[in-house]
Amino acid sequence: MFENKERTEVSSLGEFGLIDRIKKKFPIQNTSTILGIGDDAAILNNQDQEILISTDLLLEGIHFDLSYVPLKHLGYKSVMVNLSDIFAMNAIPQQITVSLGFSNRFSLEAIDEFYEGVLLACKRYKIDLIGGDTSSSQKGLIISITSIGFAKKEKIAKRSGAQNHDLICVSGDLGAAFLGLQILEREKSIYLENPNIQPDFENKDYLIERQLKPEARGDIIEILESQGIVPHSMIDISDGLSSEILHICRASDLGCRIFEEKLPIDSLTVSTAHDLNLDPTVCALNGGEDYELLFTVSVNDFDKVKLIPEISIIGHMSPKDDGACLISKGNNQYDIIAQGWTNFK
Ligand code: ADP
Ligand code: MG
């Protein structure tokens, strides 16, 4: 992965040199950012809006594998994962802080590559990088990102806000990122056994992209706003649909009914799952890392939601005593459980 290109030691710049270099690459874009990188703390102001804060810690070997994740993609994805949490409150992220721990295994060029991904994400999503921390670590790469967003109080969608009979909606399609990971892992093990064999990703671009370069669904938040839809509850799908819908059920003290035939699954996900002897529905339910939005809306919004192509209605909320269940294509009913959800047919 690390080709022997030009290599500059980060120590030749020093910590402050590095911070200065980062600051220059990231111009401030939002009026809510009063003061960015350079002082003991950043200053924000967004008048009458609520402030939302979310943070993530990403560890090499646990959350990412640098043998197949390019650093630029890692920078981009790290930001996406974090922005997704703010969008999942029906809010708009505007600032992030990025803290890094890395060893001298990482050259300045490697760190630059990481920040290129961060910069691309910041430009696309109009996010200001307003601070962070930089430290050396003994071995692996450590990334911590915090994002800050804003929303009007009455628009915020919590996990606990679902109401009985609400329609359950999901953006995009599910299961593709999980299959992308399976393919990357498979090619990695083939490569480790025989380094002369080049990875074979033919026709799997969509799956690989969903794994390496997910997009946080800010577009969905904009569409809901423009259609005058305020979701009752919302969560982003990081651990898989099953696990996330259970969070909404638990927090809202309700049950749910989800219909297998309504699950949005891309045709490439279906065919690749079959090739790998996996059930596409199980991939969609438990795969994880889709970073799509799962939310509930009032049944009164049905006519509006059904016209939005990016959104699928997959079921509805129900009384708690009914439990959380999946209705299969064969019209059987199964309990949704958070993980290890196999052989339900
Ligand atoms: P302190 O000693 O007060 O923690 P630092 O020297 O760590 O100060 O940071 C100085 C400024 O640079 C602060 O604004 C901080 O948020 C910012 N900063 C430090 N590291 C990073 C980084 N990796 N990315 C962005 N900003 C950073
Ligand atoms: Mg510091």
Side-chain angles (χ1 to χ4, degrees):
M1 204 73 233
F2 296 112
E3 294 155 40
N4 253 338
K5 293 185 224 148
E6 206 180 326
R7 185 186 162 97
T8 313
E9 298 303 324
V10 177
S11 55
S12 70
L13 255 171
E15 188 188 329
F16 299 123
L18 180 68
I19 294 171
D20 226 32
R21 195 180 157 89
I22 295 168
K23 181 181 166 150
K24 284 199 185 102
K25 284 186 195 157
F26 286 83
I28 298 295
Q29 309 169 76
N30 291 299
T31 52
S32 58
T33 307
I34 310 299
L35 183 67
I37 295 173
D39 213 310
D40 296 314
I43 307 173
L44 307 180
N45 186 320
N46 212 346
Q47 285 144 15
D48 54 346
Q49 306 214 37
E50 304 278 281
I51 304 166
L52 299 103
I53 299 183
S54 179
T55 198
D56 276 311
L57 180 62
L58 301 167
L59 304 176
E60 183 180 353
I62 308 280
H63 302 100
F64 56 88
D65 183 338
L66 287 177
S67 59
Y68 54 69
V69 180
L71 279 161
K72 184 171 174 182
H73 287 70
L74 182 63
Y76 192 84
K77 181 169 174 175
S78 304
V79 177
M80 284 310 124
V81 169
N82 218 264
L83 299 185
S84 181
D85 283 320
I86 300 289
F87 287 130
M89 303 297 288
N90 201 30
I92 306 293
Q94 296 195 358
Q95 288 85 14
I96 54 168
T97 65
V98 175
S99 299
L100 288 185
F102 54 90
S103 68
N104 57 12
R105 195 177 114 221
F106 293 86
S107 64
L108 182 61
E109 287 77 13
I111 300 300
D112 276 350
E113 209 184 308
F114 174 83
Y115 274 101
E116 265 177 49
V118 174
L119 184 61
L120 186 62
C122 285
K123 281 186 178 155
R124 282 211 185 138
Y125 287 77
K126 202 169 181 244
I127 303 294
D128 295 330
L129 174 69
I130 56 159
D133 204 12
T134 315
S135 170
S136 53
S137 95
Q138 289 200 327
K139 231 171 71 202
L141 177 60
I142 300 163
I143 305 163
S144 175
I145 301 194
T146 296
S147 54
I148 298 143
F150 301 93
K152 289 256 160 64
K153 193 175 185 174
E154 60 277 12
K155 296 257 164 96
I156 293 175
K158 301 181 196 161
R159 297 176 181 187
S160 58
Q163 293 172 21
N164 193 16
H165 308 305
D166 268 5
L167 303 172
I168 301 171
C169 306
V170 67
S171 64
D173 61 80
L174 302 175
F178 171 75
L179 287 173
L181 180 64
Q182 302 314 302
I183 291 165
L184 286 165
E185 292 278 2
R186 183 189 69 187
E187 296 305 316
K188 180 187 173 184
S189 55
I190 293 172
Y191 176 82
L192 288 178
E193 273 170 33
N194 187 346
N196 295 321
I197 298 179
Q198 286 302 305
D200 176 17
F201 299 138
E202 205 183 342
N203 301 327
K204 303 294 186 199
D205 291 6
Y206 178 63
L207 307 179
I208 305 288
E209 200 165 291
R210 291 283 285 167
Q211 170 58 223
L212 291 183
K213 205 171 156 290
E215 297 290 342
R217 298 307 303 260
D219 57 332
I220 299 295
I221 303 306
E222 278 173 23
I223 291 169
L224 293 175
E225 167 83 22
S226 72
Q227 297 298 312
I229 301 166
V230 180
H232 287 162
S233 67
M234 198 186 287
I235 188 168
D236 68 325
I237 304 182
S238 50
D239 293 338
L241 176 66
S242 298
S243 156
E244 315 301 358
I245 191 64
L246 288 175
H247 281 305
I248 288 184
C249 287
R250 209 172 298 124
S252 301
D253 213 23
L254 288 170
C256 72
R257 290 168 75 80
I258 296 220
F259 298 89
E260 183 188 13
E261 62 178 355
K262 304 282 186 196
L263 296 178
I265 308 178
D266 187 83
S267 58
L268 184 61
T269 304
V270 174
S271 60
T272 308
H274 288 146
D275 290 348
L276 299 177
N277 261 325
L278 296 167
D279 184 325
T281 300
V282 174
C283 295
L285 287 170
N286 291 340
E289 294 204 281
D290 294 309
Y291 297 107
E292 294 296 341
L293 293 171
L294 174 68
F295 55 97
T296 74
V297 300
S298 161
V299 281
N300 299 328
D301 287 326
F302 175 74
D303 287 335
K304 290 187 202 164
V305 172
K306 75 170 185 206
L307 295 176
I308 305 173
E310 294 88 346
I311 295 175
S312 306
I313 300 171
I314 60 168
H316 59 83
M317 301 304 289
S318 58
K320 185 184 184 181
D321 290 347
D322 293 358
C325 52
L326 179 89
I327 318 300
S328 73
K329 286 175 184 163
N331 213 20
N332 291 312
Q333 189 169 312
Y334 300 89
D335 286 340
I336 294 175
I337 54 172
Q339 232 131 59
W341 215 89
T342 50
N343 299 326
F344 62 90
K345 276 180 183 149

